[in-house]
């Protein structure tokens, strides 16, 4: 009996020792993660991303492909609204593909090295490695890190990252604001290291052919925003409408005519003199469904809505005034590509935007596409974080 008791005690002690040896602390896991990310050749993952930056949560399917040293393919799809955008990085640069519009936008950028993405493994691991004040918990199946969020959206303060204990694959990510409210959540369905990719996965033309346009059978329109010279008609319209947004309410009538006339110069076929004399606004197609931001900064009110023609397409200009003054232009481009100006890629969660600062006019412009709409947000005093919040909140349709 005594021998059996001693045997049981020895077995229990050995079990406790082995259990203790199998438990890793934060420092050990961090060292492992550094090795994993440095030796990583490729990976492929998919999951669901939920954005809670607007009044209603938006859910997107996200597919991520990475091949060392710098090939990326990100596919974002909102199945409910039939929205798909693809971000590529290959030897030719960084591209944002909008298959529904049959458009390809090219950028000169070192994305994603200069900014983080919540669904990229490198970004998640790097945020763990650099945060010396990281918090660490080991649950039944995952190691959980609570670290600072390092994104271009200043309202995102912290993030929790769940990594599988056995292989350090990402399981879930929650990004919170300064009030600890979860604003972005990613849940991975699959994730595999060492994926072998066909070369076409990262080729622009192959991706456009694999996802045919629903609006045009023509070849994709290539827009090169890094071309020299910024005297395009839509840039002139943006500058003029932004000046209008900064003016007093007493000048609204003349501002409206000026904004419309400015866009008429970009190719509207109407009589400019008659429009100015009668105050007439260009005809906007009946099926144009304008969208409105659900977020407005404190101390800001909507000034007015103006029907315009922008880049040869009917659209709507909304102007805001108050502590910040800014202008939001939206159109539904068809066959004509929007001419963008050089700038920095900005991750809006559901798509990529392009942020540009004009040192001469002090204007800052954010361009992006969503649901077949082209958007341009312009201001001379709106902070970048506020611009991103406004862009992320443009969801619901409005009637005029």
């Amino acid at each position: 009996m005594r021998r059996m008791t001693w045997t049981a005690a020895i077995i229990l002690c050995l079990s406790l020792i082995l259990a203790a040896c199998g438990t890793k602390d934060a420092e050990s896991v961090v060292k492992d993660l550094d090795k994993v990310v440095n030796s990583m050749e490729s990976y492929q993952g998919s999951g669901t991303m939920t954005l809670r930056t607007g009044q209603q949560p938006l859910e997107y399917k996200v597919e991520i492909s990475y091949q060392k040293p710098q090939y990326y393919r990100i596919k974002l799809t909102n199945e409910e609204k039939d929205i798909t955008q693809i971000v590529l990085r290959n030897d030719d640069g960084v591209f944002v593909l909008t298959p529904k519009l049959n458009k390809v936008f090219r950028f000169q950028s070192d994305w994603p090295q200069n900014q983080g993405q919540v669904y990229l493994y490198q970004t998640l691991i790097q945020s763990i490695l650099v945060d010396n004040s990281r918090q660490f918990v080991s649950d039944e199946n995952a190691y959980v890190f609570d670290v600072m969020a390092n994104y271009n959206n200043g309202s995102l303060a912290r993030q929790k990252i769940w990594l599988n204990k056995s292989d350090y694959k990402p399981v879930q990510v929650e990004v919170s604001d300064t009030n600890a409210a979860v604003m972005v959540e990613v849940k991975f369905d699959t994730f595999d290291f060492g994926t072998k990719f066909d070369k076409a996965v990262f080729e622009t033309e192959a991706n456009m052919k694999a996802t045919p346009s629903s609006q045009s059978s023509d070849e994709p329109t290539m827009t090169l925003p890094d071309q020299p010279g910024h005297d395009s008609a839509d840039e002139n319209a943006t500058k003029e409408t932004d000046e209008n947004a900064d003016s007093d309410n007493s000048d609204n009538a003349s501002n409206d005519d000026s904004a419309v006339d400015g866009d008429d110069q970009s190719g509207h076929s109407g009589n400019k003199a008659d429009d100015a004399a009668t105050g007439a606004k260009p005809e906007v197609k009946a099926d144009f469904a304008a969208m409105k931001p659900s977020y407005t900064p404190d101390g800001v009110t909507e000034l007015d809505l103006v029907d315009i023609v922008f880049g040869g397409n009917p659209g709507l200009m909304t102007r805001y005034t108050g502590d910040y003054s800014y202008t939001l232009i939206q159109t539904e481009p068809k066959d004509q590509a929007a001419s963008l100006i050089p700038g920095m890629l900005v991750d809006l969660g559901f798509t990529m935007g392009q942020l540009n600062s004009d040192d001469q006019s002090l204007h800052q412009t954010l361009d992006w596409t969503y649901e077949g709409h082209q958007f341009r947000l312009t201001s001379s005093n709106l902070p970048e974080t506020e611009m991103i919040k406004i862009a992320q909140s443009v969801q619901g349709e409005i009637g005029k």
Side-chain angles (χ1 to χ4, degrees):
M1 184 69 177
R2 181 176 299 177
R3 180 176 297 177
M4 293 180 62
T5 303
W6 275 106
T7 301
I10 292 172
I11 293 174
L12 178 60
C13 290
L14 288 174
S15 299
L16 291 174
I17 292 172
L18 291 174
C21 292
T23 301
K24 292 187 176 182
D25 58 12
E27 184 177 354
S28 299
V29 175
V30 168
K31 288 181 179 179
D32 288 347
L33 292 175
D34 191 26
K35 294 177 182 178
V36 169
V37 77
N38 285 324
S39 62
M40 185 172 60
E41 295 289 331
S42 66
Y43 64 79
Q44 186 173 37
S46 65
T48 302
M49 178 175 65
T50 304
L51 302 178
R52 297 186 175 89
T53 53
Q55 290 182 330
Q56 298 294 329
L58 288 177
E59 191 171 281
Y60 291 84
K61 291 291 294 181
V62 57
E63 301 174 18
I64 313 103
S65 302
Y66 165 76
Q67 176 69 56
K68 192 176 182 179
Q70 59 177 8
Y71 302 118
Y72 292 87
R73 179 184 184 272
I74 314 298
K75 183 179 180 182
L76 295 164
T77 303
N78 184 318
E79 296 178 348
E80 180 182 353
K81 297 186 177 182
D82 189 26
I83 307 168
T84 297
Q85 283 202 310
I86 299 172
V87 182
L88 290 179
R89 179 173 178 175
N90 52 37
D91 291 333
D92 298 321
V94 178
F95 299 85
V96 176
L97 282 53
T98 310
K100 189 173 183 178
L101 298 180
N102 207 31
K103 299 294 187 294
V104 180
F105 296 91
R106 180 183 177 184
F107 303 88
Q108 291 297 322
S109 172
D110 59 354
W111 177 91
Q113 275 67 29
N114 61 342
Q115 54 190 287
Q117 254 67 42
V118 67
Y119 36 74
L120 294 182
Y121 188 75
Q122 295 94 321
T123 298
L124 299 176
I125 301 307
Q126 187 64 22
S127 65
I128 294 173
L129 297 179
V130 301
D131 189 356
N132 293 325
S133 61
R134 68 182 80 89
Q135 300 176 25
F136 173 80
V137 175
S138 177
D139 64 18
E140 183 178 355
N141 299 312
Y143 296 118
V144 186
F145 285 92
D146 189 328
V147 297
M148 291 184 296
N150 185 24
Y151 301 105
N152 52 24
N153 188 341
S155 64
L156 300 178
R158 299 197 65 83
Q159 61 182 346
K160 278 188 175 182
I161 303 168
W162 283 258
L163 301 174
N164 191 292
K165 277 187 173 181
S166 62
D167 48 23
Y168 298 123
K169 293 178 181 179
V171 177
Q172 183 178 348
V173 184
E174 291 181 354
V175 188
S176 305
D177 61 13
T178 53
N179 297 317
V182 176
M183 306 302 292
V184 184
E185 182 180 24
V186 178
K187 291 184 177 180
F188 290 89
D189 301 322
T190 63
F191 195 94
D192 295 299
F193 292 113
T195 308
K196 301 297 183 182
F197 293 107
D198 187 274
K199 185 179 179 181
V201 170
F202 303 101
E203 291 180 349
T204 306
E205 185 177 354
N207 276 277
M208 290 299 290
K209 289 181 178 179
T211 314
S213 166
S214 62
Q215 295 190 10
S216 173
S217 59
D218 298 334
E219 290 298 315
T221 303
M222 179 76 77
T223 297
L224 304 176
D226 48 332
Q227 293 177 343
H230 305 147
D231 56 350
S232 60
D234 56 349
E235 182 184 0
N236 293 335
T238 301
K239 289 181 178 179
E240 187 162 357
T241 53
D242 189 52
E243 291 169 0
N244 294 336
D246 294 336
S247 61
D248 295 332
N249 291 353
S250 60
D251 296 326
N252 283 350
S254 60
N255 286 343
D256 289 355
D257 292 339
S258 176
V260 174
D261 291 346
D263 285 285
D264 281 342
Q265 295 174 11
S266 67
H268 181 47
S269 59
N271 188 311
K272 177 178 162 184
D274 291 344
D275 285 349
T278 62
K281 297 176 182 177
E283 182 179 353
V284 177
K285 295 196 318 179
D287 61 351
F288 176 76
M291 306 182 77
K292 184 176 182 178
S294 61
Y295 170 77
T296 303
D298 292 337
V300 174
T301 58
E302 182 180 306
L303 179 62
D304 57 12
L305 300 171
V306 181
D307 291 330
I308 62 171
V309 171
F310 183 77
N313 297 293
L316 178 70
M317 177 180 70
T318 311
R319 299 183 293 187
Y320 297 82
T321 187
D323 293 347
Y324 303 118
S325 295
Y326 56 92
T327 300
L328 178 63
I329 292 176
Q330 53 186 302
T331 62
E332 281 187 297
K334 300 301 180 184
D335 295 328
Q336 180 180 353
S339 178
L340 301 180
I341 47 184
M344 179 182 70
L345 281 180
V346 177
D347 182 20
L348 300 178
F350 58 89
T351 187
M352 302 298 293
Q354 186 183 13
L355 186 67
N356 177 78
S357 297
D358 189 331
D359 294 335
Q360 294 182 347
S361 65
L362 301 180
H363 288 168
Q364 188 159 249
T365 301
L366 179 62
D367 293 274
W368 73 98
T369 59
Y370 177 71
E371 279 199 62
H373 290 231
Q374 180 82 33
F375 293 91
R376 170 164 290 183
L377 178 62
T378 304
S379 177
S380 60
N381 65 348
L382 192 62
E384 180 181 328
T385 54
E386 292 294 314
M387 296 187 84
I388 293 175
K389 285 183 181 179
I390 293 168
Q392 290 178 328
S393 73
V394 178
Q395 299 173 17
E397 296 181 0
I398 60 174
K400 299 182 289 130

